[in-house]
Amino acid sequence: MAKVRTRIAPSPTGDPHVGTAYIALFNRCFARQHEGEFILRIEDTDQTRSTARSEQDILKALRWLGLDWHEGPDVGGPHGPYRQSQRSDIYRAHIEVLLENGQAFCCFCTAERLDALRVSQTENRQTPGYDGHCLLLSEQEVQKKRAEKQPYVVRMKVPEEGDCVFTDRLRGEIRIAWEQIDMQVLMKSDHLPTYHFANVVDDHLMEITHVIRGEEWINSTPKHLLLYQHFGWQPPQFCHMPLLRNPDKSKLSKRKNPTSISYYKDMGYLPEALINYLGMMGWTMPDGREKFSIEEMQSAFDIDRVSLGGPVFDVEKLDWLNGKYIRENLDVEDFVAAFSQWAFDPVRISRIIPLLKDRVERLSDVIPLAGFFLSGLLPVSDADFKHKQLTSDDCKKILQLTVWQLEQLPEWSREGVEQLCQTLSQFLDIRIRETLFPLFIAITGKAVSTSVIDAMFILGLDVSRARLRHAIDILGGVSKKEAKDLERVLRELENYVRPVQA
Ligand code: GLU
């Protein structure tokens, strides 16, 4: 039997997500248990959303959790490059094969035509999808348009009737009617591949034997299988893992729960505890024990015992497990090492100290001023938000609008955070001092402190957001109706143009 090779294929378009680590963990366990190999591939085909920063953060976060890989963009390997943006020639050569064999076709439809098509399909309650318009073009017409350099995409042909039937390792037989499958764009007009195409070509060329990924990809699998068939390649085994859920069973989302691995690192969780907790998602050890190391999980692992009931990512349970690790696994010396590493991260400290240096007379003044940087959620109460000019609703409004606006910052920078606060103050017509008041309490725990803008910038989006949300909860939370009203205000704020200052 071929050597087992699995992979994690993150798209570097945001924070390192706990869901990525969860899928990576199961892939790595499965590969290692079979003495196989686990690969990391960066799927950055979406050039507008992918960033080098996100890629670095993902690699760093996975390594922090102890999830290393045999081959990848940073360690190399015999099947490289491992970043899809560097494999364009490979995809282009492969798309030509499909075009020559008539399994894919050039589509010259304009965005306007496709929009109109979508509108009419929606109006007629049809499943939106491409209608095959360009399939009717003759070979000569296609050649002529290509020679004239008319923009086009390449789409895959899809059977018109019948079902795609495949076996999922955990779910058994899955049947999806071909009529539900769109004539997927495989190559965009900029000649870069889409996820579906690059993913299949790479899984084949990288000799992936088992595709273990989230269940959100089940409906894409027919497209993938069709590509394997067109190329005459042996498809890998598919295994779709259950998605992580919030305690209310909805899909895990950062609106309800922190999802970034960096958040858990910044809050002082131990990587061993977090990875253990992720191992409990859909998996239980045969003897039922809840505390286990990644190696122990690997030796006992049996993918066929993964349970499909939506695993709940519950921060309270993680807290319990993390506490257990701290008590049982760390002696004083280990604790000192773990704590120092967490608290005195050189990058963080070198950002904090300039804020304090000119405000202290003794080194012992530092901690009372900067303690909030070295904390998780702060012990604030609703009385702390009492203010002469602001009601508790004003405070909630400022806090909620700030959370939403911070989430939308295209890049995390001090200037960005500052601009956002200034704009909010002008938009609400509340002086900046007052606007910043609830933020000071939520972020620093005090009405007077070092700059709250610097503080949010240094604490980062995840921790800032968690503290702002915690403050909103302390003020009684935002009801459904209040949220609706605030969303309206947010839309006005988004369209608000700050008057130019003289
Ligand atoms: N790039 C995809 C993602 O971000 C990979 C999906 C797959 O594993 O096929 O989830």
Side-chain angles (χ1 to χ4, degrees), residues 7 9-11 43 195 199 213 217:
R7 55 34 169 208
S11 299
E43 299 209 325
Y195 151 74
N199 183 274
R213 61 182 174 190
W217 300 106

Side-chain angles (χ1 to χ4, degrees), residues 25-26 29 279 283 285 292-301:
L25 169 66
F26 281 74
C29 260
W283 165 253
M285 289 293 266
F292 50 86
S293 69
I294 194 167
E295 290 77 23
E296 286 166 343
M297 172 170 174
Q298 200 174 294
S299 1
F301 192 58

Side-chain angles (χ1 to χ4, degrees), residues 45 65 159 171 191 236 331 381 398:
T45 51
L65 285 169
R171 294 154 203 269
H191 297 282
D331 60 18
S381 74
I398 293 170

Side-chain angles (χ1 to χ4, degrees), residues 343-354:
F344 304 118
D345 171 73
V347 176
R348 181 154 79 151
I349 293 294
S350 62
R351 282 181 174 163
I352 299 173
I353 294 302

Side-chain angles (χ1 to χ4, degrees), residues 42-322:
I42 292 293
E43 299 209 325
D44 54 352
T45 51
D46 186 345
Q47 288 285 296
T48 49
R49 292 177 58 229
S50 300
T51 64
R53 170 75 196 266
S54 164
E55 177 185 317
Q56 276 166 17
D57 288 351
I58 294 172
L59 299 196
K60 228 167 65 194
L62 294 178
R63 281 201 188 285
W64 175 71
L65 285 169
L67 296 167
D68 51 359
W69 40 92
H70 288 91
E71 297 166 28
D74 52 345
V75 293
H79 300 80
Y82 293 90
R83 200 176 278 116
Q84 290 186 328
S85 56
Q86 295 167 336
R87 299 172 62 83
S88 302
D89 293 349
I90 300 177
Y91 308 127
R92 255 173 246 167
H94 281 84
I95 208 81
E96 285 308 323
V97 173
L98 295 184
L99 284 171
E100 265 163 39
N101 294 345
Q103 289 150 334
F105 62 100
C106 297
C107 167
F108 299 87
C109 289
T110 59
E112 291 73 42
R113 177 173 190 277
L114 296 175
D115 283 346
L117 177 66
R118 200 169 314 123
V119 170
S120 91
Q121 285 170 333
T122 316
E123 275 170 6
N124 296 324
R125 293 174 193 275
Q126 291 166 328
T127 329
Y130 187 64
D131 60 353
H133 183 75
C134 286
L135 273 172
L136 303 173
L137 293 174
S138 70
E139 184 56 33
Q140 287 79 358
E141 282 170 303
V142 172
Q143 291 315 337
K144 185 162 166 278
K145 283 175 188 281
R146 270 179 99 171
E148 286 166 358
K149 302 245 174 302
Q150 285 196 31
Y152 66 93
V153 300
V154 177
R155 290 180 184 273
M156 74 191 290
K157 285 190 191 165
V158 176
E160 280 165 34
E161 43 196 46
D163 293 339
C164 173
V165 185
F166 63 95
T167 306
D168 178 275
R169 174 97 183 228
L170 294 176
R171 294 154 203 269
E173 187 180 288
I174 296 185
R175 185 176 284 270
I176 299 177
W178 283 116
E179 60 176 25
Q180 283 177 28
I181 306 297
D182 195 13
M183 293 177 223
Q184 177 66 47
V185 173
L186 300 177
M187 188 156 283
K188 297 173 281 185
S189 55
D190 56 7
H191 297 282
L192 289 175
T194 56
Y195 151 74
H196 302 280
F197 188 60
N199 183 274
V200 167
V201 169
D202 287 349
D203 278 346
H204 173 73
L205 295 179
M206 295 182 183
E207 296 174 16
I208 300 302
T209 54
H210 296 76
V211 167
I212 304 171
R213 61 182 174 190
E215 65 186 310
E216 72 269 35
W217 300 106
I218 291 180
N219 289 335
S220 300
T221 307
K223 294 175 191 172
H224 301 173
L225 283 166
L226 195 56
L227 287 171
Y228 282 100
Q229 191 185 319
H230 286 338
F231 282 118
W233 295 337
Q234 167 78 27
Q237 243 190 54
F238 287 97
C239 173
H240 291 93
M241 297 285 295
L243 282 183
L244 301 185
R245 313 237 152 224
N246 295 309
D248 67 4
K249 285 279 176 183
S250 57
K251 182 178 155 212
L252 186 68
S253 74
K254 61 180 172 198
R255 301 220 160 259
K256 298 202 174 145
N257 251 317
T259 55
S260 165
I261 301 169
S262 325
Y263 169 83
Y264 293 94
K265 181 166 185 268
D266 292 349
M267 290 292 280
Y269 289 87
L270 303 180
E272 310 82 78
L274 180 54
I275 201 72
N276 179 164
Y277 189 57
L278 290 172
M280 284 160 69
M281 301 289 104
W283 165 253
T284 40
M285 289 293 266
D287 60 5
R289 95 191 107 122
E290 295 196 292
K291 188 169 165 238
F292 50 86
S293 69
I294 194 167
E295 290 77 23
E296 286 166 343
M297 172 170 174
Q298 200 174 294
S299 1
F301 192 58
D302 174 0
I303 196 145
D304 299 313
R305 283 191 52 243
V306 166
S307 118
L308 293 177
V312 172
F313 189 88
D314 179 358
V315 180
E316 278 179 30
K317 181 96 200 241
L318 171 62
D319 287 345
W320 165 81
L321 189 64
N322 201 59

